[in-house]
Amino acid sequence: MAIRVFPLLLLFLSSAHFSFSLYEDQVGLMDWHQQYIGKVKHAVFHTQKTGRKRVLVSTEENVIASLDLRHGEIFWRHVLGTNDVIDGLDIALGKYVITLSSNGSILRAWSLPDGQMVWESFLPGSKASKSILNVPKNLKADKDDLILVFGNGCFHAVSGIDGEVLWKRDLSGESIDVQHVIQSPHDGVISVAGLSGSSKLYAYQFNAKNGDLLKNDDAALPFDSFGGLLSISGDVLVALDDMRSKIVIINLKNGEISYNQKHISDLIEDSTGQAVIIPSRLPGMFALNLNSHIVLLKLTSDGELVVVDKINNAAAVSDALSISEGQHAFAFVQHGDNKIHLYVKNVNDWNSDLLKESIVIDHQRGNIDKIFINNYVRTDRSYGFRALMVMEDHSLILVQQGEIVWSREDGLAAVVDVTTSELPVEKEGVSVAKVEQNLFEWLKGHMLKLKGTLMIASPEDVAAIQAMRLRSSEKSKMTRDHNGFRKLLIVLTRAGKVFALHTGDGRVVWSVLLRTLRKSEACEHPVGISIYQWQVPHHHALDENPSVLLVGRCGSSSAAPAVLSFIDAYTGMELNALSLAHTIDQVIPLPYTDSTEQRLHLIIDVNQQAHLYPRTPEAIDILQRGFSNVYWYSVEADNGIIRGHALKSNCIGEVVDEYCFVFRDLWSVVFPSESEKIIATVTRKPNEVVHTQAKVMTDQDVMYKYISKNLLFVANVAPKARGEIGTVTPEEAWLVVYIIDTVTGRILHRMTHHGCQGPVHAVFSENWVVYHYFNLRAHRYEMSVVEVYDQSRADNKDVWKLVLGKHNLTSPVSSYSRPEVIAKSQSYYFTHSVKAIEVTSTVKGITSQQLLIGTIGDQVLALDKRYLDPRRTVNPSQAEREEGIIPLTDSLPIISQSYITHSIKVEGLRGIITVPAKLESTSLVFTYGVDLFFTRIAPSRTYDSLTEDFSYALLLLTIVALVAAIFVTWVLSERKELQDKWR
C-alpha cells in the first residue's frame, strides 16, 4: 500500500499546474536604459495649433531630436556619425526638418511628425569653408520652395520638395568665405556677402530662379576684421576691427558696398577691454560683450549707432522672435540673488517689458549658456513666452510662467570617465530626525496608496505610486547588499560635472558642478580628464566615507595648468580643490595606501618630474620603502617611441620640494617611422584578480599562464594604412602587434598581419590579449587572440604534482630575469565593426570570462572566451572535447540571444565598464555613449545562487508533500506490521 501511494503522489505533483510561471525574458528587471541627446546648439520651436507642440534640436553629440514641449520627452531622435557634425537646423514647408551637416556637404529632410528621412542630398565642393543653411520664407523658383546652402566653397539652391540641386555657383576661385545669405523676396534676388581673407569684402546678387549672377561688388576694408560679419537687417552688416576698438557698419544696398566706422570709446564710457560681438540675430540691433557686460546697440534710420542699454551680469541673449507683423521680441537673462532673472523685450519698444520673471534654478547647473524663446497667446489675448535654456552643465530646462516645466540631464550624454564606489553599510534603527524629516512624505505616500487601492488615483498619482514602489524596492536601496549588486557609478562628464548613479535603477543620487572646472578668468577652457578612487575605507567603513579624485586641466593641451578635486562619494561634497603649479601629463595610481586608506598617486608633468599625492610625510615614508619598485611607461605615438621610467631622486630647484621627484629612462623602444606607426596600446586592469596560474590541459597536462601586471600590448600599422579602410591596397598595408614588458622593455612576442589595417580595438586580461582589425585581402573584419605561457615552470606538467603541492609556483617571478615564454595565437573572421571591447570581471576570477563587444550597431555582444581559444582545431579529440575545446571554424558565431542589450541600442556607444559583484558568478556591466545602459550578467550562469524566478512555493509544497508521504507511509507500515504479528 505504501509503495503505491508515494509514486501516485509524485505523479500528482509533476502533473499539477501551478500559477507560478517563468517569464520569457527578464528585460528591465536587472538592467536600465537612459536616453539623452547632449548639449543643444540649435533649437527651433514648432507650436502650431494642429499636432503636438514640440521643439526640434541639434546637439554637440551630433543628435537631431524632437522633444515634447509638455514633458521634455523624446518624440524621435537620430544620432549621426562621429564626423557628421551638424551645422544648421530649420523647418521647411511646415512639415520637414532640414539639417545641414559634414561642413556643408550633406543636406537632409526629415519628416516632422515621425522623424523618417524624406530625402538626402550630397553637396560636393572643392574647398573647406564655413557652412550656412538658409531656409527663406516665401522664396520660390518655378513654384518650388528653395533651400539655400553654402559649404565647401560652393553656393547651392536646393528644392525643398525632393532635395534636387536646382543650381550651383562655385565661389572657391575667389577664396570667398560667405558670411551671410540675404533674400529679397519681392524681386526674386538673393544677395550673398563674404570675406576674402579678413579685410576684403565681396557682395553678389543672384537670380533665385536660375542662379544667374546679376551684380557683384567688392571693397577693401581699412583694417582686418575680427570674428566675421553679423547681419542686423536685410542689407546691413556689422563687424569689429582686428584691435576690437572700432565697429564697422557695412551697407549692401542694391548690391553696392559702402561702410563707415565708429570707435567703441565714443559710444560707451569705460570701454576698456576686449569687445566681442554676440552672434544673436536682432533686427536693427546687435549685442556687444564688453568687460563681462552686454551692451545693446541700435542702428537708427539715418545710419547712426546708439546705445540702447547696458546689462550687468547678463548670461545669454536669444535671437529675435517675430510675434506680429513688424513686432519682434527677444530675451536675455541675468544672474543675481541666487536666481535667474528673465526679461523679454520688444525690439521697437525698449522701455516696456513683455515679460519679467525670476526663476530659482539649482546652482549646480551653473550659468546659462544659451537661450531660445517661443511665444503663445494667453486666454486674455496677450502674449506669453516660454524659454528653453541650455545650462553650463549641458542640461536643458524649459521655463514658463516663472516655473521650471521640465529639465533634462543631457550632460550625461558626454561621459568622460567612470569609477565606482560602494554604498554605505545598512545600520540598525532609524533616527528620530530622519523620521520627522520624512513624516510628510510618509503620509503622502500612504494617501497615494489608499487612492490606488480605492481605484480613484489619477494618472499622475499612478505614476507617483510606481515611482515610490521603485524607490522602496530592494534593488533601489541606498545601502550595500549581500551580493554586491548595489553600487554607485561615479561619472565625470565633459561639462566638468560629476554624477553619482545608483546601479539599481540609474537614478541620480547626487551631482556636483565642480568650481575648479568652471569657466573663469583664471581657467578659460576647463577640461575634465579622468576620475580615480582616492580613499576606499574598509575597516573604517562605518566611520568614514569613500572619496574620489578628479583630475582636470585649464585647456586641452598637456601643457595647460592642472587642477585636482577631491569629492565625497556619498554626498557629492567637494572636500578639497587644488590649482597645481605644475602640469599633468600622466596620472599613475600606486599600489600603496596610507593609514587613512588614501591611495598614493604619482602625477607626471611635461617637465619630466613626478609629484606625489597626498602630500603628507606618511606618504613620503611609504613611497621611500617601495622607491626602487616604482616603474611606469610613456607612449609617444607621433614619434613611435615607448619609454620605461623609474624614480631617481628629489627635484633640485630654488625651493626644496620633498614631494617632487625626477626620474630616469630605463629603456626605450623606437619603431621605424617609415614602416610602423603606433595606433593602439592596452594593458591589464591593475585590480584584476587571477584565480589560478595553472591551466589544466588534456591527458592531465598543465600549462602555466605568464601572469604579469607589467605587460603592454602595442598595435602598429603601416604609415599609409593609418587612414580610413579602403584608402590603401593590401600590398601597402600591414599590422604589427607586440607584447612588451614595461619594466625591462623586452619584446616578449611580435607578430605581423600582412594586408591588414586598423582601427584596432583590444582588451588584455590575465595572460591573453584579443584584438580586432580589418583584413583588406579578405574584405572582412578579424579578431585574433594571443596567449602567453610561462615555460620556466614546464617541469610541473603533472596535475598530481599541482594537487600535492610538489611544484615551484611559489618561487618569485622577476622581470629582470629573461622569461621563458611561449605564445599561442589564432585568428578568426568577425562579421561586425567594433567600437569597444571589454572583458567580464568577477571578485575571485573563478567564473569563465566573456568578451563584451560594442558593435557598430550600438549594441553589446557577449562572446564566450572559449570561442577565442588558440588551441581550437577542426577535429578536436575526445579529451579536448571533454576539456571544453570547441571545433574550429573560420568565423566567430554571433548568436542573437547573446546580446546583453537585448533589442536596445546604446546610441553613440563609446565605452564599456565591468565591475565585479560580491557574488562570484556575476559581473556588473555599464555601457555609455549618448545613452547609458546598465545590466548584470552571469557568464557561467548563477551557479552560486538561486535565480529570481525560482519557485519557493513549489519547493515548500514539495517538502510538505514529502513529509506527509513519509508520515502516511510510516503509519501504513506500522499498521501492516501489526497485522502481520496477529497472524
Side-chain angles (χ1 to χ4, degrees):
M1 179 68 181
I3 297 174
R4 295 176 182 175
V5 170
F6 186 66
L8 288 174
L9 182 61
L10 291 180
L11 180 63
F12 166 75
L13 290 174
S14 62
S15 61
H17 178 73
F18 297 99
S19 60
F20 309 106
S21 60
L22 185 67
Y23 291 103
E24 292 184 1
D25 56 68
Q26 293 182 326
V27 177
L29 297 180
M30 298 182 295
D31 54 44
W32 46 264
H33 177 226
Q34 298 175 354
Q35 294 182 317
Y36 298 100
I37 57 176
K39 184 181 180 181
V40 172
K41 59 181 182 180
H42 304 108
V44 181
F45 289 89
H46 186 265
T47 55
Q48 294 179 353
K49 292 183 179 180
T50 58
R52 297 177 176 177
K53 293 180 172 57
R54 65 184 74 207
V55 57
L56 290 308
V57 298
S58 66
T59 72
E60 293 183 355
E61 303 300 321
N62 300 337
V63 176
I64 307 161
S66 174
L67 303 180
D68 180 13
L69 271 183
R70 184 181 295 274
H71 303 292
E73 298 172 349
I74 298 174
F75 282 143
W76 55 261
R77 179 186 62 163
H78 294 289
V79 181
L80 306 184
T82 306
N83 300 322
D84 198 3
V85 179
I86 302 170
D87 306 312
L89 174 77
D90 210 336
I91 295 178
L93 303 176
K95 60 180 180 178
Y96 294 157
V97 180
I98 306 297
T99 60
L100 180 66
S101 59
S102 295
N103 295 320
S105 299
I106 303 177
L107 187 68
R108 299 182 178 97
W110 314 84
S111 173
L112 182 61
D114 56 12
Q116 295 296 319
M117 184 187 294
V118 180
W119 51 257
E120 180 180 43
S121 293
F122 294 92
L123 309 176
S126 56
K127 182 181 179 181
S129 65
K130 179 181 178 180
S131 57
I132 297 176
L133 171 65
N134 188 293
V135 182
K137 309 302 179 186
N138 303 319
L139 179 61
K140 295 181 180 291
D142 293 334
K143 299 182 180 180
D144 192 356
D145 288 71
L146 293 184
I147 299 173
L148 306 176
V149 176
F150 176 78
N152 294 316
C154 295
F155 188 51
H156 300 81
V158 183
S159 167
I161 297 176
D162 56 11
E164 179 186 358
V165 178
L166 301 178
W167 51 264
K168 168 186 174 182
R169 293 295 173 263
D170 191 348
L171 303 179
S172 60
E174 292 84 358
S175 300
I176 299 174
D177 185 11
V178 171
Q179 301 285 314
H180 287 282
V181 177
I182 306 164
Q183 70 177 87
S184 301
H186 301 295
D187 50 11
V189 175
I190 301 170
S191 299
V192 174
L195 291 171
S196 178
S198 58
S199 61
K200 190 155 187 181
L201 181 66
Y202 284 83
Y204 295 89
Q205 284 190 344
F206 296 102
N207 187 322
K209 184 176 181 180
N210 51 29
D212 290 341
L213 179 62
L214 302 178
K215 196 172 186 180
N216 69 307
D217 192 14
D218 61 82
L221 299 178
F223 40 70
D224 292 341
S225 63
F226 173 82
L229 307 176
L230 177 68
S231 174
I232 61 173
S233 68
D235 51 8
V236 179
L237 308 173
V238 294
L240 287 176
D241 70 331
D242 54 348
M243 301 301 294
R244 289 190 270 182
S245 62
K246 298 178 183 178
I247 300 174
V248 186
I249 305 167
I250 303 167
N251 197 312
L252 303 178
K253 192 172 183 179
N254 298 324
E256 297 180 356
I257 301 173
S258 61
Y259 63 85
N260 59 70
Q261 51 190 326
K262 193 80 172 180
H263 283 274
I264 296 177
S265 57
D266 296 340
L267 297 170
I268 307 167
E269 298 179 358
D270 190 20
S271 59
T272 58
Q274 300 291 329
V276 178
I277 293 178
I278 298 175
S280 295
R281 295 190 292 269
L282 307 174
M285 296 177 61
F286 67 97
L288 206 65
N289 194 332
L290 184 65
N291 294 331
S292 300
H293 298 90
I294 290 181
V295 181
L296 291 168
L297 298 102
K298 186 173 184 178
L299 184 68
T300 62
S301 57
D302 54 358
E304 294 294 326
L305 282 178
V306 294
V307 176
V308 177
D309 199 356
K310 186 176 182 180
I311 308 170
N312 300 325
N313 301 321
V317 178
S318 74
D319 288 342
L321 173 70
S322 177
I323 56 177
S324 62
E325 186 176 356
Q327 298 294 318
H328 293 83
F330 77 101
F332 64 88
V333 287
Q334 288 179 296
H335 290 277
D337 302 328
N338 296 321
K339 292 183 179 180
I340 297 294
H341 303 287
L342 172 65
Y343 298 87
V344 178
K345 296 274 190 178
N346 191 326
V347 174
N348 301 321
D349 185 8
W350 186 259
N351 295 324
S352 61
D353 294 324
L354 295 176
L355 182 70
K356 182 178 180 181
E357 295 175 343
S358 295
I359 307 105
V360 178
I361 295 180
D362 183 7
H363 69 279
Q364 293 296 344
R365 297 190 184 276
N367 296 328
I368 296 177
D369 190 60
K370 293 179 182 178
I371 180 172
F372 306 91
I373 62 170
N374 176 243
N375 69 303
Y376 60 93
V377 180
R378 298 190 181 102
T379 55
D380 60 357
R381 311 307 297 172
S382 63
Y383 287 108
F385 295 88
R386 55 175 71 94
L388 187 70
M389 300 181 182
V390 183
M391 307 302 293
E392 186 179 355
D393 67 343
H394 297 185
S395 61
L396 192 64
I397 295 176
L398 183 72
V399 173
Q400 187 172 330
Q401 296 181 353
E403 299 291 336
I404 297 177
V405 180
W406 51 259
S407 63
R408 295 179 51 88
E409 292 288 357
D410 285 305
L412 286 169
V415 173
V416 174
D417 198 12
V418 184
T419 189
T420 59
S421 173
E422 293 288 348
L423 284 163
V425 177
E426 186 172 6
K427 299 180 181 180
E428 296 182 358
V430 181
S431 65
V432 177
K434 184 176 181 181
V435 173
E436 290 178 349
Q437 182 181 1
N438 296 332
L439 181 59
F440 177 74
E441 293 295 329
W442 181 82
L443 292 173
K444 180 180 177 182
H446 278 70
M447 289 299 297
L448 286 173
K449 290 179 181 178
L450 180 61
K451 291 173 68 176
T453 304
L454 299 176
M455 301 180 67
I456 58 174
S458 65
E460 290 77 11
D461 293 337
V462 172
I465 293 171
Q466 292 176 348
M468 288 173 55
R469 288 175 177 170
L470 184 63
R471 287 194 299 269
S472 61
S473 65
E474 185 70 23
K475 71 176 184 177
S476 303
K477 288 184 177 180
M478 280 300 298
T479 55
R480 301 183 191 181
D481 61 315
H482 177 72
N483 293 326
F485 297 157
R486 296 196 297 263
K487 297 180 185 293
L488 286 180
L489 295 168
I490 315 295
V491 301
L492 169 66
T493 66
R494 193 174 64 231
K497 192 170 186 178
V498 182
F499 292 85
L501 306 178
H502 196 291
T503 57
D505 53 7
R507 71 181 185 276
V508 177
V509 178
W510 55 259
S511 61
V512 56
L513 183 62
L514 301 175
R515 65 177 185 273
T516 53
L517 290 181
R518 294 188 65 179
K519 187 175 181 180
S520 62
E521 294 181 1
C523 190
E524 293 187 1
H525 302 286
V527 177
I529 304 174
S530 53
I531 191 167
Y532 303 90
Q533 291 183 345
W534 174 253
Q535 186 177 24
V536 186
H538 294 285
H539 58 279
H540 300 304
L542 298 177
D543 304 323
E544 298 181 14
N545 292 353
S547 57
V548 295
L549 166 66
L550 185 139
V551 179
R553 296 194 191 104
C554 290
S556 57
S557 68
S558 58
V563 293
L564 300 181
S565 182
F566 304 89
I567 305 170
D568 188 307
Y570 288 170
T571 64
M573 182 183 299
E574 191 172 17
L575 304 175
N576 191 15
L578 302 174
S579 295
L580 306 184
H582 58 81
T583 58
I584 292 181
D585 187 51
Q586 197 174 357
V587 180
I588 304 170
L590 299 177
Y592 308 122
T593 57
D594 60 13
S595 59
T596 62
E597 299 185 86
Q598 290 182 347
R599 189 171 182 177
L600 274 60
H601 290 71
L602 275 182
I603 295 181
I604 314 301
D605 65 14
V606 295
N607 297 322
Q608 302 296 302
Q609 292 180 340
H611 304 267
L612 177 64
Y613 289 87
R615 298 171 68 88
T616 60
E618 183 187 3
I620 287 289
D621 294 339
I622 295 172
L623 181 63
Q624 290 296 340
R625 290 196 292 269
F627 195 84
S628 60
N629 292 323
V630 178
Y631 303 94
W632 71 94
Y633 67 93
S634 60
V635 179
E636 301 176 19
D638 295 335
N639 299 326
I641 302 175
I642 301 177
R643 305 180 191 273
H645 312 284
L647 295 175
K648 182 179 180 182
S649 60
N650 285 99
C651 299
I652 301 174
E654 298 180 359
V655 179
V656 178
D657 186 356
E658 59 180 334
Y659 304 103
C660 176
F661 303 90
V662 294
F663 52 87
R664 66 184 191 276
D665 292 343
L666 296 178
W667 54 267
S668 63
V669 177
V670 182
F671 300 104
S673 59
E674 64 277 2
S675 61
E676 296 182 25
K677 294 291 184 181
I678 301 175
I679 61 169
T681 60
V682 67
T683 187
R684 281 183 56 195
K685 292 181 181 179
N687 58 348
E688 184 184 38
V689 177
V690 180
H691 176 63
T692 178
Q693 187 183 359
K695 183 175 182 179
V696 180
M697 306 292 183
T698 56
D699 301 326
Q700 297 183 351
D701 194 6
V702 180
M703 294 189 71
Y704 296 94
K705 306 171 186 175
Y706 185 75
I707 304 296
S708 174
K709 293 185 177 181
N710 301 315
L711 295 184
L712 174 68
F713 171 79
V714 182
N716 296 351
V717 295
K720 291 184 179 180
R722 297 183 71 182
E724 298 291 332
I725 294 174
T727 58
V728 65
T729 62
E731 291 73 19
E732 298 174 320
W734 54 83
L735 170 67
V736 188
V737 298
Y738 300 84
I739 296 179
I740 300 175
D741 190 308
T742 58
V743 174
T744 61
R746 290 193 181 100
I747 297 177
L748 303 181
H749 178 71
R750 180 183 184 274
M751 185 166 61
T752 303
H753 300 271
H754 293 284
C756 298
Q757 72 171 119
V760 173
H761 298 276
V763 62
F764 206 142
S765 176
E766 294 189 355
N767 68 318
W768 55 265
V769 60
V770 171
Y771 52 99
H772 176 276
Y773 53 92
F774 188 78
N775 189 324
L776 291 169
R777 297 184 187 276
H779 304 286
R780 297 173 71 176
Y781 287 100
E782 285 186 3
M783 291 184 73
S784 295
V785 58
V786 178
E787 293 184 356
V788 184
Y789 293 95
D790 189 353
Q791 287 294 96
S792 64
R793 308 176 192 278
D795 295 337
N796 303 313
K797 290 186 176 181
D798 192 350
V799 70
W800 293 109
K801 288 184 178 181
L802 180 66
V803 173
L804 298 175
K806 297 180 179 180
H807 54 76
N808 61 349
L809 294 183
T810 57
S811 60
V813 177
S814 174
S815 293
Y816 290 112
S817 60
R818 180 176 292 276
E820 299 178 23
V821 298
I822 183 174
K824 296 180 179 292
S825 62
Q826 183 67 274
S827 298
Y828 304 91
Y829 290 126
F830 190 68
T831 305
H832 291 303
S833 176
V834 167
K835 289 186 173 183
I837 301 181
E838 189 54 270
V839 64
T840 56
S841 56
T842 55
V843 67
K844 299 294 183 183
I846 301 173
T847 305
S848 59
Q849 294 174 307
Q850 285 184 337
L851 289 170
L852 303 178
I853 303 171
T855 65
I856 193 66
D858 290 327
Q859 292 184 301
V860 180
L861 173 71
L863 183 66
D864 197 318
K865 170 60 175 63
R866 292 185 304 159
Y867 287 108
L868 283 153
D869 191 331
R871 296 172 55 239
R872 288 177 62 185
T873 58
V874 177
N875 296 309
S877 63
Q878 182 62 31
E880 289 176 333
R881 290 179 183 272
E882 292 176 358
E883 183 189 338
I885 299 297
I886 301 173
L888 179 65
T889 55
D890 62 345
S891 60
L892 296 172
I894 296 179
I895 305 171
S896 58
Q897 292 85 352
S898 297
Y899 284 98
I900 66 172
T901 48
H902 318 297
S903 60
I904 295 171
K905 293 182 67 175
V906 186
E907 296 282 4
L909 188 150
R910 293 193 305 273
I912 304 171
I913 303 295
T914 60
V915 182
K918 290 181 182 179
L919 199 65
E920 168 58 27
S921 64
T922 307
S923 180
L924 309 180
V925 182
F926 177 62
T927 306
Y928 61 90
V930 175
D931 294 349
L932 303 182
F933 178 81
F934 175 86
T935 189
R936 60 178 190 256
I937 62 174
S940 300
R941 300 185 180 273
T942 52
Y943 57 84
D944 51 358
S945 64
L946 296 175
T947 60
E948 292 186 355
D949 52 6
F950 181 80
S951 179
Y952 292 93
L954 181 60
L955 176 63
L956 181 61
L957 185 59
T958 304
I959 294 173
V960 171
L962 289 174
V963 171
I966 292 171
F967 178 76
V968 171
T969 304
W970 177 77
V971 170
L972 295 175
S973 177
E974 288 291 324
R975 182 179 298 177
K976 185 176 184 301
E977 184 179 355
L978 182 61
Q979 291 176 353
D980 290 342
K981 288 180 179 180
W982 277 102
R983 290 178 181 177

